[in-house]
């Protein structure tokens, strides 16, 4: 019996198994054009002030602490992502940056005062898409990540890494890649992120100037049907 089991294991190791490629190459499109995963459970430990800290959770209308029912930040829309930022309105309490689910054309990124739920800054981050009738339309984008560093908020959506100066309430820079941008981190004076084309990229976190770029895989040219018939490099 032991010999039979050994033989089965050897066959598994040496006999090539058929591997089927994915039918849909999602990297061809911005991830905002795909299906968004439902059932988010947003909760994190935050410190807004010496007296306001703990586990904050998001619901369909706002943010609140688990152990403090009296404190609520009213947003008015389902929250997909949130991040604590500096005290922008100088009221002694740190404020909140949120990505909210709204109809296309309305602001899906907002900075909210934690004290009175006032909107301090907002943007509608969008992308172009083609509908079933081959008409060019504008849709709200999915914000993949929000980071805050002193007075700058960094957002990743589709092919863009956007930096917002919260003091000036204005866009500091908008770095764009040929394909989707994924995870980003802040290291000293750098913003380092990965891309769908298998690259590691570093840019200056204050002005967006590129420091270096390293490719780990060679992208391939794929001709796909776009509204304007462009060719794009992707990884399959």
């Amino acid at each position: 019996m032991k010999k039979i089991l050994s033989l089965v294991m050897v066959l598994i190791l040496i006999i090539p198994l058929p591997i089927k490629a994915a039918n849909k190459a999602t990297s061809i499109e911005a991830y905002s054009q795909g299906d968004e995963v439902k059932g988010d459970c947003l909760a994190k430990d935050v410190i807004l002030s010496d007296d306001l800290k703990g586990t904050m959770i998001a619901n369909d209308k706002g943010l609140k602490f688990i152990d403090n029912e009296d404190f609520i930040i009213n947003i008015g829309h389902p929250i997909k992502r949130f991040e604590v930022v500096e005290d922008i309105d100088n009221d002694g309490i740190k404020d909140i940056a949120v990505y909210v689910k709204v109809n296309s054309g309305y602001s899906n990124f907002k900075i909210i005062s934690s004290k009175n739920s006032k909107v301090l800054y907002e943007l509608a981050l969008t992308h172009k898409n083609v509908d079933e009738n081959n008409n060019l339309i504008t849709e709200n984008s999915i914000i993949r990540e929000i980071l805050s560093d002193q007075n700058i908020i960094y957002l990743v959506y589709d092919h863009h890494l956007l930096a917002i100066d919260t003091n000036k309430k204005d866009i500091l820079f908008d770095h764009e890649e040929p394909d989707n941008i994924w995870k980003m981190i802040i290291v000293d004076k750098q913003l380092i992120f990965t891309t769908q084309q298998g690259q590691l990229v570093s840019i200056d976190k204050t002005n967006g100037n590129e420091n270096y770029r390293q490719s780990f895989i060679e992208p391939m040219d794929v001709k796909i049907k776009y509204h304007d018939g462009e060719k794009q490099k992707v990884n399959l």
Side-chain angles (χ1 to χ4, degrees):
M1 183 67 177
K2 188 174 182 180
K3 290 182 179 179
I4 294 174
L5 289 176
S6 299
L7 179 61
V8 171
M9 291 299 296
V10 170
L11 288 174
I12 290 174
L13 291 173
I14 65 174
I15 295 176
L17 298 176
I19 299 175
K20 186 177 180 181
N23 292 326
K24 184 178 180 182
T26 55
S27 66
I28 290 176
E29 299 176 334
Y31 47 62
S32 288
Q33 295 168 284
D35 294 329
E36 191 169 6
V37 176
K38 307 297 181 183
D40 296 340
C41 180
L42 297 180
K44 65 174 70 176
D45 292 332
V46 303
I47 299 175
L48 300 182
S49 68
D50 291 338
D51 300 323
L52 288 171
K53 51 188 171 182
T55 302
M56 178 170 279
I57 60 172
N59 57 28
D60 285 345
K61 298 299 181 182
L63 294 161
K64 66 179 190 177
F65 288 107
I66 289 178
D67 56 353
N68 186 351
E69 295 291 334
D70 296 327
F71 181 84
I72 299 176
I73 303 174
N74 294 305
I75 309 296
H77 299 283
I79 299 166
K80 307 297 292 183
R81 195 174 298 277
F82 72 91
E83 184 72 21
V84 174
V85 300
E86 295 299 315
D87 179 13
I88 296 173
D89 51 359
N90 299 313
D91 57 13
I93 304 175
K94 289 186 176 182
D95 298 310
I96 302 287
V98 294
Y99 158 41
V100 294
K101 185 177 181 180
V102 293
N103 292 330
S104 291
Y106 292 91
S107 298
N108 54 351
F109 172 76
K110 299 182 180 183
I111 302 175
I112 307 291
S113 171
S114 296
K115 187 171 185 177
N116 55 26
S117 302
K118 180 182 177 182
V119 177
L120 305 175
Y121 181 80
E122 60 183 322
L123 275 177
L125 301 173
T126 63
H127 63 275
K128 299 295 184 182
N129 201 358
V130 179
D131 65 15
E132 60 274 9
N133 297 317
N134 204 33
N135 297 317
L136 192 64
I137 59 174
T138 300
E139 296 178 331
N140 276 7
S141 292
I142 295 171
I143 298 175
R144 181 63 58 180
E145 191 173 11
I146 303 173
L147 290 180
S148 176
D149 184 51
Q150 297 179 350
N151 66 314
I152 303 176
I153 297 174
Y154 302 98
L155 309 174
V156 166
Y157 73 100
D158 298 334
H159 303 178
H160 296 263
L161 196 163
L162 191 69
I164 300 170
D165 187 321
T166 58
N167 289 336
K168 298 179 179 179
K169 294 184 174 63
D170 197 9
I171 295 174
L172 186 62
F173 63 81
D174 182 0
H175 177 87
E176 186 173 2
E177 290 285 325
D179 208 327
N180 294 320
I181 297 173
W182 295 103
K183 190 74 176 178
M184 65 174 170
I185 59 171
I186 300 171
V187 180
D188 298 327
K189 297 181 180 180
Q190 303 177 82
L191 268 173
I192 301 175
F193 58 88
T194 54
T195 74
Q196 188 71 46
Q197 293 188 353
Q199 295 181 329
L200 181 72
V201 184
S202 166
I203 62 174
D204 189 291
K205 70 177 186 179
T206 60
N207 55 31
N209 291 339
E210 186 171 313
N211 296 318
Y212 62 82
R213 179 181 299 265
Q214 178 67 50
S215 295
F216 294 98
I217 190 171
E218 182 66 26
M220 59 186 296
D221 288 329
V222 177
K223 188 65 178 293
I224 60 175
K225 184 179 179 182
Y226 273 111
H227 183 80
D228 52 5
E230 287 185 346
K231 180 186 287 187
Q232 183 170 341
K233 287 185 176 181
V234 300
N235 286 327
L236 300 178

